[in-house]
Amino acid sequence: MTQAKRLPIGILGSGKGSNCRAILERIRSGDLAAEARLVVSDVLDAPILDIAREFGVANAYLPPGRFRTRLEPEIEEQLVQMLRDADVDLVVLAGFMRVLHEPMLKAFPRGIINIHPSLLPKFPGLEAWKQALVAGERVTGCTVHYVDKQIDHGKILAQKEVTILPNDTAESLHARIQILEHELYPAVVAEFCKRYGASNEQLGCTSR
Ligand code: GRF
């Protein structure tokens, strides 16, 4: 029996990595025809790196350099190289707290996706669930989108709605959004896997 072609993905994150875990669990259970080649974090002790180790996925800490919200350009070039060396085709941002710039965007023109905890285009930026609460919204949610040069901005791929309850706190709302994130993100990655499995082309990476 021939095995389905598996989409090589790289996951970038800065924090607790619950979305990374959700994706790795689906891969392990055979639901997702992907292969996690590499997990990279800009934070040395980020739990996402422990999760990668738990699942036996290659992982690396990438010292980000002197800027707070982005990688130094040479370091971003290094990141491109690491992902290329790992033959990554789709880059999955899972709580990666740095804005990507030209090196990554040029290397993976349609191959970087992100998950954001609001119904974009509403509430881009930090703590989007708090922004929704403060704005008095009745519904918020999460969005998976392509990454482009603006923050939380590229083409929207999928969204899920979450009703805001009258007694919601920022924590309770974020927790409910995350439950849906863990369904939505693997489902979107599954769509990429289908396309990859059905074609002879790479999805998003320019020539190596
Ligand atoms: C998620 O809420 C995601 O929407 C945002 O960052 C958070 C990452 O959470 N981009 P985790 O590290 O995957 O648990």
Side-chain angles (χ1 to χ4, degrees):
M1 201 168 71
T2 52
Q3 279 238 315
K5 229 171 104 192
R6 299 205 296 155
L7 173 65
I9 65 170
I11 302 176
L12 312 186
S14 309
K16 74 177 190 241
S18 66
N19 282 284
C20 175
R21 177 182 289 284
I23 290 168
L24 296 181
E25 276 172 354
R26 298 290 173 92
I27 292 174
R28 187 161 65 185
S29 69
D31 282 354
L32 211 46
E35 185 182 342
R37 287 279 171 86
L38 183 62
V39 173
V40 180
S41 181
D42 59 322
V43 177
L44 180 60
D45 57 356
I48 193 170
L49 291 176
D50 297 327
I51 292 171
R53 287 177 206 118
E54 182 188 326
F55 281 79
V57 176
N59 58 89
Y61 162 59
L62 183 69
R66 68 204 138 107
F67 302 124
R68 204 171 47 83
T69 58
R70 60 177 294 177
L71 299 169
E72 273 182 49
E74 310 72 55
I75 293 172
E76 197 169 320
E77 295 284 3
Q78 272 178 40
L79 176 61
V80 168
Q81 203 48 54
M82 287 163 81
L83 293 164
R84 282 186 168 154
D85 289 347
D87 271 334
V88 163
D89 218 56
L90 179 71
V91 180
V92 176
L93 305 190
F96 189 62
M97 298 305 286
R98 294 185 184 260
V99 182
L100 293 176
H101 288 77
E102 195 151 294
M104 279 292 290
L105 298 177
K106 261 174 111 174
F108 297 93
R110 294 290 277 178
I112 310 177
I113 59 174
N114 182 43
I115 187 155
H116 182 76
S118 78
L119 296 174
L120 289 173
K122 278 189 168 177
F123 311 121
L126 294 176
E127 299 189 320
W129 62 93
K130 271 194 197 160
Q131 297 184 48
L133 260 187
V134 170
E137 297 285 316
R138 302 209 164 165
V139 175
T140 185
C142 49
T143 302
V144 178
H145 63 95
Y146 278 117
V147 171
D148 68 10
K149 57 180 189 255
Q150 295 183 52
I151 296 176
D152 301 326
H153 175 269
K155 182 176 177 234
I156 291 172
L157 294 164
Q159 295 186 305
K160 264 189 192 274
E161 290 188 356
V162 175
T163 304
I164 300 182
L165 305 174
N167 57 351
D168 255 331
T169 60
E171 293 68 36
S172 64
L173 180 57
H174 188 213
R176 284 210 312 293
I177 293 172
Q178 285 229 286
I179 290 170
L180 291 193
E181 287 185 344
H182 302 157
E183 293 170 14
L184 186 66
Y185 219 2
V188 172
V189 174
E191 287 302 313
F192 279 89
C193 292
K194 257 195 232 156
R195 272 171 43 198
Y196 182 79
S199 85
N200 290 319
E201 294 162 27
Q202 290 165 354
L203 293 174
C205 182
T206 53
S207 59
R208 302 190 155 98

